[in-house]
Amino acid sequence: MKRYRVCVIGCSPSRGAQHVDAFLRNADRFEIVGICDRVPERLNAVGEQFNLDFRYDNAEAMLAQLKPDVLCFITMPSIRLEMIELGIRHGVKAIAYEKPMATNWPEACAIHRAVTKAGVKTIQSHQHKYGRHWQRARALIADGQIGDLQFVHATSKGPMLHYASHLMDYSMFLTGQENVKWVVGYAQGRQMIDATHPAPDYMLGRYEFASGLPGQIECGSLAPKLPPGTNEFWYDAGVCVYGTHGTVQVVSGSGLWAKVRGSDAILRDEASFDVTLDQPPYIRELADWLDDDANIHSCNGERAFRGFEVFMAACLSAAENRRIDLPMEEDIDVQGRLAP
């Protein structure tokens, strides 16, 4: 099997180190040839932690010298497009980066156009679904254990640009559907419109997949608390899928509840997102896609773009008081229309 050369930009002690660790746990498929950060302390801490000697404080210089197959960057969302263009300029085959895809709809459109034109594969960190509870939920649904699907409802106490990307990916993953026809939305509160992750305080979107399956996504202060209840919004997020013969609910930080066909018992699987278990398979799947174009990564950029479009359309619907049919017109300043 081919081994792919990787450069990592962004050495935060949390997410940066976790990405580095995930590549190293797939050492038979990837080789980290360089790491980069403008903060020497962070750069050297990750370098020492993982025994990586090729350290750079200039991303352009690193990529020009090392010519990697894969660029992975873990940076603030305001420079997503800049990092994407950097990777394209230096001829990488794939780019792995954090969610959200962008801070606004025009930038997401620009990223989508750029990688499509360049033929560069991209993936986003929707790695939660590799957890045991998500995989079991998907298997129950795919096996028909809750009957024909009737409705999917995804919620998070976390704000829209922190978590809506995950919620749409969860919903697509569990239902096996991706294409959305239309969206109507509501947005409340404008305190976070000028934040690093600009979003309304609360966002709700109702939508319909191309199959006719209805769905709902809601993020922020007014979203419900999920069982068993937690003050940690990263884990207070999940999806409930309703069928004709049962229901499956998955919560990122507390596991699965399911009522399935032919049983009065509630299936319960206590589990939580574990980065050491759930991040490595997300990374390994990229090697499979690089090996063969037919092995499309389940966190691919096209899917992420379609998910991003849904909650951007919900905000546009809230601003203009109308249904938004997809695909949405490109380059609309959605957050600007929500601003007070």
Side-chain angles (χ1 to χ4, degrees):
M1 291 186 292
K2 182 172 180 179
R3 199 163 176 239
Y4 296 98
R5 293 162 52 84
V6 181
C7 281
V8 177
I9 300 173
C11 295
S12 67
S14 54
R15 299 299 297 133
Q18 290 165 2
H19 279 268
V20 169
D21 180 65
F23 278 107
L24 293 175
R25 288 174 184 266
N26 289 286
D28 60 324
R29 303 309 320 273
F30 296 101
E31 176 189 8
I32 296 181
V33 296
I35 59 174
C36 178
D37 200 292
R38 292 179 178 177
V39 180
E41 294 79 10
R42 299 200 315 188
L43 177 64
N44 291 324
V46 168
E48 294 300 320
Q49 180 182 353
F50 296 104
N51 195 28
L52 299 170
D53 295 328
F54 298 99
R55 307 171 193 176
Y56 294 78
D57 61 6
N58 184 294
E60 187 95 46
M62 177 178 69
L63 296 184
Q65 179 179 344
L66 299 177
K67 304 186 186 321
D69 301 301
V70 177
L71 168 62
C72 175
F73 66 87
I74 309 95
T75 65
M76 292 298 289
S78 58
I79 58 171
R80 294 285 195 261
L81 180 57
E82 178 184 335
M83 292 290 101
I84 294 287
E85 290 175 338
L86 177 68
I88 291 172
R89 190 160 62 247
H90 288 280
V92 301
K93 297 175 182 177
I95 300 173
Y97 65 111
E98 275 284 354
K99 51 81 198 163
M101 184 176 189
T103 59
N104 57 64
W105 178 238
E107 185 180 41
C109 293
I111 289 171
H112 184 252
R113 288 192 295 262
V115 297
T116 300
K117 181 179 179 180
V120 173
K121 295 177 170 68
T122 65
I123 61 172
Q124 279 185 251
S125 295
H126 296 141
Q127 71 281 68
H128 289 207
K129 66 173 176 274
Y130 295 86
R132 183 185 73 218
H133 43 326
W134 294 100
Q135 294 291 321
R136 187 176 184 188
R138 175 68 186 125
L140 288 170
I141 293 167
D143 194 40
Q145 292 299 306
I146 66 168
D148 296 331
L149 302 189
Q150 301 292 296
F151 187 64
V152 56
H153 184 198
T155 76
S156 170
K157 294 298 285 187
M160 180 183 77
L161 277 191
H162 283 281
Y163 230 116
S165 181
H166 273 304
L167 294 182
M168 284 309 305
D169 186 73
Y170 294 157
S171 299
M172 293 173 175
F173 168 68
L174 291 178
T175 63
Q177 304 189 46
E178 294 187 12
N179 296 317
V180 171
K181 293 192 296 186
W182 55 260
V183 186
V184 294
Y186 169 78
Q188 185 272 330
R190 303 296 188 267
Q191 294 184 29
M192 297 183 62
I193 288 294
D194 296 322
T196 58
H197 293 65
D201 301 342
Y202 170 75
M203 179 279 299
L204 180 146
R206 287 293 300 265
Y207 62 89
E208 185 177 291
F209 284 111
S211 67
L213 176 67
Q216 180 168 306
I217 177 174
E218 51 183 314
C219 297
S221 57
L222 301 182
K225 270 189 172 292
L226 297 176
T230 174
N231 291 323
E232 175 54 79
F233 78 76
W234 293 114
Y235 297 110
D236 192 1
V239 179
C240 192
V241 182
Y242 300 86
T244 53
H245 291 82
T247 304
V248 173
Q249 182 177 37
V250 194
V251 180
S252 183
S254 51
L256 172 148
W257 292 258
K259 175 70 170 61
V260 299
R261 185 195 302 266
S263 174
D264 292 328
I266 301 295
L267 295 179
R268 178 76 172 103
D269 189 347
E270 293 188 27
S272 182
F273 172 63
D274 184 333
V275 69
T276 61
L277 296 177
D278 304 339
Q279 186 100 357
Y282 156 75
I283 292 298
R284 192 169 191 85
E285 197 176 330
L286 177 58
D288 296 335
W289 192 19
L290 287 167
D291 288 344
D292 184 347
D293 290 345
N295 293 328
I296 300 173
H297 199 291
S298 62
C299 301
N300 68 82
E302 180 68 29
R303 177 170 172 162
F305 179 64
R306 294 306 164 201
F308 193 90
E309 181 181 34
V310 170
F311 53 87
M312 286 289 104
C315 291
L316 183 62
S317 172
E320 299 191 348
N321 195 31
R322 65 182 178 94
R323 188 180 87 174
I324 306 299
D325 294 322
L326 303 187
M328 187 165 71
E329 182 182 345
E330 294 191 355
D331 302 324
I332 298 172
D333 179 12
V334 175
Q335 282 99 325
R337 299 192 184 190
L338 279 176

